[in-house]
Amino acid sequence: MDVTTGVSLLVLLLGLCSSHPIIDHSADRILSSEPTEDITSTILRMNQGSRDFLFEGDMLIPRSRNSLKCLNKNNTCFWPKSANGNVEIPFSLSDTYDNTEKNVILQAMAAFEPKTCIRFIPRGTQWEYLSIEPRYGCFSMLGRIGDKQVVSLQRFGCVEHGIVQHELLHALGFYHEHTRSDRDNYVKINLENIVDGMQYNFDKKDTNNLNTPYDYSSIMHYGRTAFAKSGSETIIPIPNPSVPIGQRQGLSDIDILRINRLYNCSRYRL
């Protein structure tokens, strides 16, 4: 069996399992309810009280990384291509998740396949892999680290399509959109509205923007009230302050373009 079909088959199998009612007495929840806050607000709320030092709210960053610019000569910050031309990223999925939660995570992974060369494949004996676990909060390490790499998706808050894809993009090597090197041309950061001590989360990075435009609709863009004092906003689009930012539905067209350019997905339109 072609390993690139692994995620799709898992999604199908879990869908069949989930066609029968699953009684879960651990918590009362409705996973399909319509969110009332932007993706950043949810992630930051879920990460409150985390014992980990999370840069920009949801990233554990190895010190050898510098945004999308890999400082290692061998480009080991990013996941390598396989002989078939795809970027195959092994993963393990904690059995703590129920079938509904597993299906959400697998569907979010499978959504990369039609438009990019990224393939999340179930881990066999690979040494380098993503370990998707329900730790405290929603966060990921940045880029490939060369070992077991944790992506935390806490139950009852982080297991949503857009949040899963957001954290997977961190694992692929992407920072948040609002910290890219040219952001001052597109957003105003209201430093006076940021909670004391949290200003570092808005520092610009020396990013490789891959010749793509600034993307207000990126799944990686912070919402207006990220780290904001009560009743205020920290990020304002310019020149049009009414532009929506902070969507949580899934990968934008420019997110997809960047993935393909960063990983040289030549079979896909660049």
Side-chain angles (χ1 to χ4, degrees):
M1 180 180 67
D2 187 345
V3 294
T4 62
T5 64
V7 170
S8 297
L9 288 176
L10 282 172
V11 169
L12 176 60
L13 289 172
L14 283 171
L16 291 173
C17 292
S18 299
S19 64
H20 299 284
I22 297 176
I23 299 174
D24 184 353
H25 297 291
S26 60
D28 294 325
R29 70 197 190 283
I30 302 176
L31 293 178
S32 61
S33 60
E34 187 68 23
T36 58
E37 59 185 3
D38 62 53
I39 191 170
T40 310
S41 298
T42 301
I43 291 174
L44 297 182
R45 175 171 55 79
M46 293 301 298
N47 289 347
Q48 287 179 359
S50 173
R51 295 180 180 179
D52 297 293
F53 178 77
L54 301 175
F55 191 70
E56 292 183 20
D58 69 335
M59 290 187 294
L60 289 173
I61 303 178
R63 294 184 179 180
S64 60
R65 306 293 188 270
N66 185 17
S67 190
L68 299 183
K69 291 185 178 179
C70 187
L71 300 181
N72 299 327
K73 292 182 179 180
N74 295 327
N75 217 34
T76 55
C77 306
F78 308 118
W79 297 85
K81 274 195 172 182
S82 301
N84 61 15
N86 290 326
V87 178
E88 296 181 343
I89 304 176
F91 73 92
S92 65
L93 190 55
S94 172
D95 284 334
T96 303
Y97 296 114
D98 64 27
N99 284 341
T100 299
E101 293 163 334
K102 287 180 180 179
N103 195 54
V104 170
I105 295 168
L106 293 171
Q107 290 280 8
M109 289 179 162
F112 283 77
E113 295 188 13
K115 297 182 179 180
T116 79
C117 63
I118 302 299
R119 301 291 184 269
F120 295 99
I121 61 172
R123 181 196 180 209
T125 60
Q126 295 94 332
W127 179 57
E128 296 178 278
Y129 68 101
L130 299 182
S131 180
I132 302 174
E133 308 171 8
R135 295 194 181 186
Y136 192 105
C138 330
F139 62 84
S140 173
M141 296 178 180
L142 182 69
R144 173 188 173 210
I145 68 167
D147 201 342
K148 173 184 175 180
Q149 183 163 337
V150 173
V151 175
S152 174
L153 296 170
Q154 184 179 337
R155 301 181 72 195
F156 321 131
C158 300
V159 184
E160 297 180 6
H161 185 89
I163 293 177
V164 174
Q165 291 192 334
H166 180 104
E167 300 305 338
L168 289 175
L169 279 178
H170 283 320
L172 287 174
F174 290 92
Y175 266 116
H176 294 118
E177 184 74 356
H178 79 283
T179 63
R180 59 182 270 171
S181 57
D182 60 351
R183 66 101 185 274
D184 289 338
N185 296 323
Y186 305 98
V187 294
K188 176 185 177 182
I189 306 299
N190 290 329
L191 294 175
E192 68 278 6
N193 291 343
I194 300 172
V195 173
D196 292 343
M198 294 292 111
Q199 286 81 2
Y200 69 89
N201 292 296
F202 296 83
D203 292 344
K204 285 190 296 185
K205 306 299 184 301
D206 180 19
T207 53
N208 174 5
N209 299 322
L210 300 165
N211 294 317
T212 60
Y214 191 90
D215 186 13
Y216 297 108
S217 65
S218 171
I219 195 68
M220 305 305 288
H221 204 298
Y222 264 21
R224 296 173 182 272
T225 60
F227 293 101
K229 296 175 182 176
S230 179
S232 62
E233 296 183 346
T234 53
I235 304 178
I236 304 297
I238 54 176
N240 182 1
S242 65
V243 171
I245 60 175
Q247 62 92 6
R248 62 189 299 148
Q249 282 69 44
L251 299 173
S252 71
D253 290 342
I254 297 177
D255 287 331
I256 292 167
L257 176 63
R258 286 184 190 138
I259 294 169
N260 288 329
R261 287 189 176 175
L262 180 62
Y263 282 95
N264 192 25
C265 300
S266 56
R267 297 199 308 273
Y268 298 85
R269 190 173 180 179
L270 302 179

